[in-house]
Amino acid sequence: MSSPQTNRRTHLKQLSAVMGISALPDLQPIEATAKPNFIYSLNMSTIRGQNLGFAKELEVASKAGFRSVEIWMDSLQTYLDKGGSLSDARKRISDLGLTIENAIGFAQWIVDDETTRQKGVEQLKREMDMLAQLGCHRTAAPPMGATQVPGLDLKRAAERYRTIVELGAKMTVIPQLELWGFSQNLSRLSEVSYVAVESGHPSARMLLDVYHLFKGGSSLDSLPLIGKTGIEVFHVNDYAASANPSTITDGDRVYTGDGVAPIGRILQALALTDRPLVISLEVFNKNYYAQDALLVAQNALAKMKQVTKSL
C-alpha cells in the first residue's frame, strides 16, 4: 500500500503535468477565443409609424430577414378585436419562421395606488396568457404610471416586481424589468439593478436600452456589475454626437452605427459566449416612418450586423 506522502507526491506531479500542458500557446481556453453570439430582433416600434397592423408587421420583418421580433400588445389586441385569433396568429408566426422574443406592454403594476396596481397586475396576467399561447416567454415591465413623480420606494417596487415575476413563472412568461431613462423612477441602472436583486427571485431579468442608459445618465462602467445572466434582451439604437441627455427624446434614436453611442463597448460588457444575447432595434424615428417599411427593416438588420461584426 502506498503511503499518504507518496500519494501526495504523485498527485503533485500529475497536477504539474496538467498545468504545463494547459500553458502551451496553442491550447487557449475556449472562453478566451470564443466570440459573443447575438440574435438579431426587430422591435415593431421601428416600423410602427407605417400603420401596417400586426399581421403585416410580421410579414415585413420576415421578408427583411429577421427571424426574431418584439411585438406590441396594443397591435396584437387590435388584430384580435378585428377578428383575428391567437391560434391563427401563432400559425402565421410559425409559417413566417419567426420567434416572438419579447412583448411591449404598459400595465401599471408598480404604482402606489392599490386599485390601479391590482388592475395593472390583472392586465399583465391577461397579456401573459396571450403571449404564452403565441409561444412568447418574455414581456417588458416598465415603470408605467410611476414616471412623473420621484420618490418611489424601491423596496416596495422590488416586492411588486417579485409579485409579477412569480405570476410570470407560473405562466411561463417572465416580465423583464425595464429601465426608462426619462422616468422619475427606475431611470438609472443602479435603481433597476436594486429592484431586480431585492426581488429575490431567480427569474428576475432586466431590460436595458442604449438610449435609456444615455438618457438616464447611467455609468457604462457599472454594466459588468449587473451580472450577464440578468440580461436576455437588450434594445439597441444610436444617437447623434450633438445629443444631450437632458433634451434627447425617443424620436431622436437612429440606426445602430449611425451615431456615436459606444454600442460595441456596451455589448462586450453584456454578451456571453455560451448563449446568445437578443439585441432588438427599437427606434421611433419619423424619418424612417416616412419610408417603405421593408426598406427600414432591411436597413435595420444590415446595420445591426455591421456594428457587431468586429465583436
Side-chain angles (χ1 to χ4, degrees):
M1 179 180 294
S2 300
S3 67
Q5 186 66 19
T6 300
N7 286 339
R8 181 174 179 274
R9 290 197 188 106
T10 300
H11 176 70
L12 288 174
K13 287 180 180 180
Q14 293 172 338
L15 180 60
S16 297
V18 171
M19 292 178 66
I21 291 173
S22 64
L24 292 176
D26 59 338
L27 291 176
Q28 295 297 321
I30 294 176
E31 182 69 20
T33 57
K35 295 186 67 174
N37 299 312
F38 300 104
I39 292 175
Y40 302 101
S41 174
L42 181 68
N43 186 306
M44 293 308 185
S45 68
T46 306
I47 54 174
R48 184 174 175 84
Q50 283 85 345
N51 298 312
L52 304 176
F54 180 76
K56 186 63 175 178
E57 288 174 347
L58 296 173
E59 292 173 12
V60 167
S62 178
K63 190 172 182 179
F66 282 98
R67 301 279 70 89
S68 293
V69 295
E70 287 184 286
I71 62 172
W72 281 53
M73 291 307 304
D74 60 350
S75 181
L76 173 61
Q77 188 61 59
T78 299
Y79 167 81
L80 297 175
D81 291 343
K82 291 184 176 180
S85 68
L86 290 171
S87 59
D88 287 344
R90 179 156 187 162
K91 184 178 185 305
R92 184 184 298 270
I93 292 165
S94 177
D95 290 345
L96 291 171
L98 294 173
T99 297
I100 310 299
E101 299 289 353
N102 189 39
I104 306 301
F106 302 100
Q108 297 189 48
W109 60 273
I110 198 172
V111 298
D112 286 332
D113 182 79
E114 185 173 356
T115 300
T116 302
R117 187 172 67 255
Q118 288 303 318
K119 289 181 179 178
V121 172
E122 287 302 313
Q123 176 187 337
L124 192 56
K125 184 177 180 180
R126 291 192 301 272
E127 292 176 349
M128 289 193 291
D129 177 63
M130 290 190 287
L131 293 171
Q133 293 183 59
L134 292 182
C136 175
H137 300 292
R138 305 184 188 94
T139 188
M144 187 67 184
T147 63
Q148 301 300 318
V149 180
L152 179 70
D153 187 325
L154 295 185
K155 191 172 182 62
R156 289 186 176 180
E159 295 169 354
R160 294 163 188 171
Y161 178 57
R162 182 182 178 92
T163 295
I164 64 172
V165 174
E166 288 178 337
L167 179 62
K170 295 177 182 177
M171 303 181 70
T172 71
V173 180
I174 300 300
Q176 315 285 291
L177 184 65
E178 187 169 13
L179 183 154
W180 272 1
F182 60 80
S183 174
Q184 294 296 309
N185 301 287
L186 299 192
S187 65
R188 297 178 63 83
L189 183 61
S190 57
E191 296 170 332
V192 177
S193 300
Y194 175 85
V195 171
V197 173
E198 185 65 19
S199 74
H201 199 288
S203 294
R205 296 291 185 272
M206 290 170 278
L207 179 59
L208 307 182
D209 182 301
V210 171
Y211 159 79
H212 283 299
L213 288 170
F214 177 71
K215 177 70 175 177
S218 293
S219 171
L220 300 185
D221 290 330
S222 298
L223 282 175
L225 299 178
I226 65 174
K228 294 184 178 182
T229 56
I231 305 291
E232 294 181 353
V233 179
F234 182 74
H235 287 165
V236 293
N237 35 67
D238 214 327
Y239 46 80
S242 59
N244 186 300
S246 65
T247 57
I248 192 173
T249 67
D250 281 324
D252 295 321
R253 307 186 205 190
V254 295
Y255 293 126
T256 56
D258 283 5
V260 297
I263 299 172
R265 176 187 171 192
I266 293 172
L267 293 181
Q268 285 178 330
L270 296 176
L272 290 174
T273 56
D274 61 346
R275 66 167 173 82
L277 174 69
V278 178
I279 56 174
S280 187
L281 186 79
E282 184 182 61
V283 298
F284 302 82
N285 194 299
K286 290 183 179 179
N287 292 328
Y288 302 164
Y289 290 162
Q291 301 172 26
D292 178 73
L294 178 58
L295 176 62
V296 172
Q298 290 172 330
N299 286 337
L301 182 57
K303 290 177 179 290
M304 291 169 73
K305 289 184 175 180
Q306 182 62 35
V307 83
T308 58
K309 186 177 180 180
S310 61
L311 298 182

